[in-house]
Structures are given as structure tokens and as C-alpha cells.
Amino acid sequence: MPEHLPPPGGSLTDFLTRYDHMAIRSAHEVIACYSTSFSLATRLLGKQVRADIRNLYAMVRIADEIVDGTAAAAGMNPTEITDTLDRYEQAVLASVDTRFHVDPVLHAYALSARRCDFNPDQVRAFFASMRRDLHQSTHDAHSFEDYVYGSAEVIGLLCLSAFLVDHPATPTERNRMEAGARSLGAAFQKINFLRDLAEDSQTLGRAYFPGLETRELSDEHKKELIRDIRQDLSDAHTAIPLLPLSARAGVLAATELFTELTNRLDVLPAAELARRRVSVPRRTKAAILARALTAAPRAHRRKEK
């Protein structure tokens, strides 16, 4: 039988289903390669939610790679990199209207974008922050706030859209969960800025935190940043009990993993952060995931009238 024909008793739909599965597995490989902590946390999500979050992350990761040195390492000049990012944004925004994509990551993202009704304005805000990385290497307080919103807070909001499919919430609950999603996204981004301080400054020539373009990170400045991160994590934590159980354990695990990372950053001198990237040992990660899995069912808050 020719290979292009469906199997006996099958249909062309079987080909598309198989391709969908391949694309989703491809997205999983992207997250597994680039973020072990986040990948581990997604294991605690419900099956469909897990696929949607991984599909979203894979698209975001590709955009990150365009602006974070990979395209430049491949020999692209600044104009080519900008054009590539623009084309990718257009492809991502248009992907929901097409059922088949030759790019598996884009195909997987489109599956979830349709199912979760991702807000295109939030996607545009994300790409706007990515575009900043191509022409802006330092930030003041205002541009930093804008950057974090687009690069991280909207990702939290897009994740929330995936969490709440088939889970209606009251306007009050939705507002509280959106605030928590934004706070958690901001916390994750700021933590990554601290742990990637050496790479950002020495390799990419960027100083995200306001004031760092003129001086090195001091211990006092680091403590101030840690306090801000802890406040974001605390604000995010209060919204976790409102999440559906299919999302609650994974979000709780991610929050606790990044809290542990914050604790490790907190005890190190600022000068040490400029020399190495801090991580959480695998055994500690496993213990955090186990605790989250146990705690999540108990962390339920009764819906408000």
C-alpha cells in the first residue's frame, strides 16, 4: 500500500490526529530542553492543561531564542533578526486560522490558542517586549514595568486562560486570579533576571534592573529586589486556592520551586551572582513537587457567591 494512503479502515483524519500528537510531543521536548524546573511543575497539571501550557511555552521559547543570541550566533545581522521576529509574530497571530502548520511548534501552539481562546493583544504585548531586547539594553522604572508586563505577566494571563477552560469563575474570582497570574509571572521574570545576571550583562550586554547600567549589583540593591520578588510570590500565592484542581498542583509546585530559588539567591553575596547561575538540586525539586501534589487538594477556597 502506498505510504501516503491511510491505513486500512482508517481515514485522512487519522493522519491529522497523528500529526497533532507529534506536534504536542515536540512542544514538550522544547520545554524539557530549556527549563527543567518548569517542565517538572507541568507534570502536575491535568493532561489537557499540561499540553496547553507546554504548547504555549514552546512558542514563547522560540521567540526568546530569536532575540537572546541564537539567531545572532547563526550569523543573522540585526535587521535580519528583527525581520525574523516580525515574521514569527505574524505567523503566531495568524496560526489560529489554519488547521495545519509545517512548523510543529506553531501547529501545537495553534491547537491550544484555539481551545483556550488566547487573547491576541496579550500575544502582541509579549512580542513587543521581545522586540525591546533588540534595541534596548537598559531600563528605567517605567520601561522595566512595561517590559515585565509583556515578557512575563501576559504569559501568566495566557496560562490562566488555559486553566479556566470549562471552569467558569465569578468576576471577583477572575480578577483575583488575574492579579495572581500577573504577580507570579513578574516574580518568575525577576528571579530569572537575578540568576541570569552574569549571562545578561557579559554575553548579551543587557541590564534589566533599573540602575544596573551604571554600577554593579550591590548587596543592598539585591536585598531590595528580593523583597520585591517575595511580595510578588506572596500575592500570587493567595490566588492559588481559586484555581481548578487540574492547575492548582502545578502552579503551587512552580511557585514553591521559585521560592526555593529565591531563598538560595537571598543568601548569596551580590558579587557571587555575577559569576555563576544558581539552581535548585534535583532532589530538592522532587521533594517540592511531592509536597505540592499533597497540598493542592487541600488548598481549595469555596467559590464566592
Side-chain angles (χ1 to χ4, degrees):
M1 182 179 70
E3 292 184 0
H4 66 278
L5 293 179
S11 69
L12 288 175
T13 304
D14 296 327
F15 286 152
L16 185 58
T17 299
R18 181 170 61 186
Y19 192 87
D20 288 344
H21 291 164
M22 178 279 296
I24 292 169
R25 289 181 64 181
S26 297
H28 178 204
E29 288 302 314
V30 173
I31 186 173
C33 180
Y34 281 98
S35 178
T36 55
S37 293
F38 196 62
S39 179
L40 286 171
T42 62
R43 294 182 184 180
L44 303 191
L45 297 171
K47 182 178 180 180
Q48 182 61 66
V49 176
R50 180 167 65 245
D52 289 328
I53 297 306
R54 288 173 172 174
N55 293 348
L56 171 63
Y57 178 90
M59 180 278 288
V60 168
R61 187 69 250 176
I62 297 301
D64 276 339
E65 290 306 298
I66 294 172
V67 302
D68 279 355
T70 303
M76 287 188 179
N77 62 44
T79 299
E80 290 172 329
I81 294 173
T82 298
D83 290 344
T84 299
L85 183 66
D86 290 345
R87 288 195 302 271
Y88 193 58
E89 178 182 13
Q90 293 164 8
V92 167
L93 290 170
S95 66
V96 294
D97 299 322
T98 304
R99 185 61 180 87
F100 172 76
H101 298 276
V102 296
D103 175 352
V105 168
L106 198 60
H107 186 92
Y109 168 79
L111 290 173
S112 294
R114 285 189 292 268
R115 193 185 91 86
C116 305
D117 194 22
F118 288 152
N119 186 333
D121 288 336
Q122 292 170 356
V123 176
R124 291 187 186 96
F126 165 72
F127 277 95
S129 283
M130 294 301 96
R131 199 165 284 107
R132 280 180 181 266
D133 278 334
L134 298 178
H135 62 78
Q136 185 172 357
S137 59
T138 62
H139 291 273
D140 58 23
H142 179 70
S143 67
F144 179 76
E145 182 178 336
D146 283 348
Y147 183 89
V148 171
Y149 171 75
S151 66
E153 293 181 27
V154 297
I155 304 305
L157 293 173
L158 290 167
C159 288
L160 183 62
S161 295
F163 298 157
L164 295 183
V165 174
D166 299 327
H167 293 281
T170 67
T172 299
E173 290 170 341
R174 182 86 189 207
N175 288 339
R176 292 174 67 183
M177 284 186 282
E178 287 180 352
R182 291 184 61 176
S183 293
L184 192 57
F188 287 179
Q189 184 66 290
K190 294 169 188 175
I191 292 166
N192 283 329
F193 285 160
L194 270 181
R195 73 193 301 226
D196 293 336
L197 202 62
E199 180 180 284
D200 287 340
S201 61
Q202 298 168 21
T203 305
L204 299 176
R206 298 172 188 162
Y208 286 105
F209 292 117
L212 284 190
E213 69 276 12
T214 58
R215 56 184 169 81
E216 293 183 353
L217 180 68
S218 67
D219 287 331
E220 186 55 39
H221 191 187
K222 191 207 72 170
K223 288 185 179 298
E224 179 184 334
L225 295 173
I226 291 291
R227 284 194 294 270
D228 181 47
I229 289 169
R230 291 195 187 282
Q231 184 61 58
D232 283 335
L233 289 170
S234 177
D235 292 343
H237 210 285
T238 63
I240 292 175
L242 290 171
L243 294 173
L245 185 58
S246 58
R248 203 180 307 148
V251 175
L252 182 60
T255 303
E256 295 302 329
L257 282 169
F258 276 83
T259 298
E260 175 65 21
L261 186 55
T262 301
N263 294 339
R264 291 171 180 269
L265 292 167
D266 195 9
V267 299
L268 289 176
E272 184 72 14
L273 301 184
R275 292 194 292 268
R276 67 183 182 93
R277 193 173 193 267
V278 178
S279 62
V280 177
R282 181 174 292 274
R283 181 176 295 181
T284 304
K285 289 178 181 179
I288 289 172
L289 263 62
R291 290 198 300 269
L293 193 60
T294 301
R298 300 196 301 266
H300 175 65
R301 185 174 297 166
R302 183 176 300 171
K303 287 186 175 292
E304 299 178 8
K305 301 292 185 181

